[in-house]
Amino acid sequence: MAEADTRQIEPEAPAYPMQRTCPYQPPEGYEQLREQGPLARVTLFDGRTAWVVAGNTEGRALLPDPRLSVDVRNPDFPLMAPRIEAQRQRATPLIGVDDPEHARQRRMSIPGFGIRRINALRPEIEKIADTLIDNMMAKGSSANLVTDFALPLPSKAICLLLGIPYEDHDYFAERSRHVLSSSGDEQAAQAQQAFGDILKYLYDLIGEREADPRDGLLDELITQRLLEGAVDRNELAMIATVLLVSGHETTANMIGISVLTLLEHPEQLAALRADPELMPGAVDELFRFTSIGDTLPRVATEDIEVGGQLIKAGDGVIVSNMLMNRDPSAFENADQLDIRRAAGRHVAFGFGIHQCIGQNLARAEMEIALNRLFSRLPNLRLAIPASEVQVKPAFVLQGVEDLPVTW
Ligand code: HEM
């Protein structure tokens, strides 16, 4: 910490992260950051400064660069919220470890998320979506789309993929929410506790399944990795916890924010309804446009020159995928939602070695969720003015707190 404390605080570096006012639009201060160039200076809550990467080209060069580390135990790592301080004693598997450890964990986990396996799950995910819509319709003509649909759908889907008992999904959904979305000091303990609860549950479940394997991804990892000695029970429980938590809040936030975005762009929604073949491209465009996993923090372990700037060893670097995805040099009319555009080159799932492992699953869930919702509820609309929809605090994931809808 000593080196960081002696650095000069730059008064012109605005506070970061910045709060969105509209859930699917960049925060107001982002224009100012972009004007500073492909790399801008910001000040974090603890007074330290860091680089924010706004340029698409520069972000694509930096994210795969091995001189940038994701290890939060590095004392120079840029902290985005006070609660991360409490989590610094252990590195989160996959997302929080560098190669070669990361590569080993990723090789182990990735077969579970391949396109063929995810496609085979589609009929089950469709059934989950339809049952949730049946339940919403049975209750009347209004619902909170977040709790009645957007959260339970991915929660059930990730349980199905991992082979974790369905009946426990409420337990994970609530705790995953604490792990990924709370930002304040007072919530740090809650987040730690929630992570610990899920970890303990999975540790015990792995023990049971060692003796009595079934047919989910967790069981495969037990029979193909754990019993062969490639991983121990503790590390496997940690990896499974990361997969389970990441599988919940991400898509849940994405479904809520995408429904809102489409309802607020009725001409785009009408085009999508008229031609469901547009769905896969529309989903990618929604990922680009909303960029819900906006801030990807790293620390430089060596000096790096990029975009005419020198990032010094020890500097914090935060790659903003919202700024990269709205960079006008990478996307024409970048601030417009256009479901027909070729949005495939977006970086909403990151880029480089940490690129999202769950993206096939997320895309399948999104396509199914939007397809089922808009075809079964043709009059779906907001039950409150869009300006009253509460935005989640700027932290790991962007989303809406609740989404009252009617049909
Ligand atoms: C709406 C959907 C999602 C979005 C926007 C999203 C976004 C991201 C982003 C931006 C990263 C890279 C982070 C970085 O470089 O620091 C990432 C990594 C990751 N995501 Fe996702 N994600 C989504 C869904 C999922 C799902 C459904 C899973 C299911 C398990 C998942 C699991 C992971 C994991 C394990 C990593 C770390 C991979 C690694 O470090 O090798 N994500 N995700």
Side-chain angles (χ1 to χ4, degrees), residues 38-359:
L39 275 81
R41 299 295 287 167
V42 293
T43 306
L44 304 177
F45 78 91
D46 56 4
R48 290 191 53 197
T49 48
W51 297 102
V52 162
V53 182
N56 191 286
T57 308
E58 291 72 16
R60 281 176 171 268
L62 284 169
L63 280 173
D65 194 315
R67 293 168 295 179
L68 287 181
S69 163
V70 292
D71 194 339
V72 77
R73 293 168 302 181
N74 183 324
D76 290 325
F77 194 87
L79 299 185
M80 303 283 287
R83 56 163 273 206
I84 304 288
E85 189 66 62
Q87 294 170 4
R88 283 185 109 160
Q89 58 287 46
R90 72 171 166 217
T92 310
L94 289 164
I95 194 88
V97 289
D98 298 321
D99 278 352
E101 194 186 355
H102 166 264
R104 185 179 56 80
Q105 293 178 340
R106 184 151 172 131
R107 263 197 310 275
M108 199 184 314
S109 321
I110 208 154
F113 295 89
I115 192 77
R116 229 179 292 150
R117 186 170 191 145
I118 298 301
N119 280 342
L121 272 187
R122 279 181 185 250
E124 290 295 326
I125 302 175
E126 271 164 21
K127 264 192 236 157
I128 294 170
D130 277 328
T131 308
L132 292 168
I133 297 172
D134 290 343
N135 295 345
M136 276 163 50
M137 291 169 85
K139 280 198 274 179
S141 60
S142 62
N144 177 357
L145 200 77
V146 171
T147 48
D148 290 338
F149 186 80
L151 255 175
L153 185 145
S155 173
K156 290 187 170 193
I158 191 72
C159 284
L160 191 68
L161 178 66
L162 288 170
I164 289 169
Y166 245 27
E167 58 272 22
D168 293 334
H169 83 265
D170 284 340
Y171 180 89
F172 302 125
E174 196 195 323
R175 283 168 176 78
S176 297
R177 201 160 206 200
H178 293 319
V179 174
L180 276 186
S181 285
S182 46
S183 62
D185 240 349
E186 70 288 353
Q187 289 153 331
Q190 198 181 28
Q192 287 277 84
Q193 174 73 37
F195 191 90
D197 286 350
I198 300 176
L199 184 64
K200 161 103 180 49
Y201 172 92
L202 287 171
Y203 186 88
D204 292 346
L205 185 69
I206 291 167
E208 283 169 32
R209 294 288 180 81
E210 269 178 58
D212 177 21
R214 311 226 180 129
D215 60 0
L217 175 58
L218 188 62
D219 303 279
E220 270 170 37
L221 290 170
I222 292 169
T223 49
Q224 294 169 15
R225 305 290 172 163
L226 180 70
L227 298 179
E228 284 175 1
V231 64
D232 65 24
R233 203 207 280 189
N234 204 33
E235 187 182 15
L236 182 55
M238 288 281 280
I239 292 174
T241 303
V242 169
L243 296 177
L244 188 60
V245 169
S246 322
H248 275 87
E249 266 299 271
T250 47
T251 318
N253 283 355
M254 190 61 203
I255 293 172
I257 216 168
S258 299
V259 169
L260 174 68
T261 306
L262 285 171
L263 291 175
E264 288 295 283
H265 293 80
E267 70 304 339
Q268 298 284 316
L269 178 56
L272 184 57
R273 277 195 157 122
D275 183 2
E277 303 261 299
L278 292 174
M279 186 58 89
V283 163
D284 262 316
E285 171 65 350
L286 285 161
F287 274 117
R288 180 195 75 84
F289 189 73
T290 62
S291 296
I292 64 162
D294 180 10
T295 49
L296 311 180
R298 306 286 194 264
V299 57
T301 54
E302 294 174 34
D303 289 359
I304 307 173
E305 258 190 84
V306 71
Q309 294 286 359
L310 176 66
I311 298 173
K312 292 211 190 107
D315 281 357
V317 178
I318 298 156
V319 181
S320 162
N321 67 35
M322 175 56 107
L323 281 161
M324 285 176 71
N325 283 334
R326 299 285 192 105
D327 183 342
S329 70
F331 295 97
E332 215 172 293
N333 298 322
D335 284 326
Q336 267 172 35
L337 179 76
D338 176 3
I339 60 164
R340 289 192 170 84
R341 85 162 73 230
R345 283 187 77 255
H346 68 75
V347 289
F349 289 118
F351 187 67
I353 63 164
H354 292 281
Q355 194 178 67
C356 182
I357 224 173
Q359 58 183 288

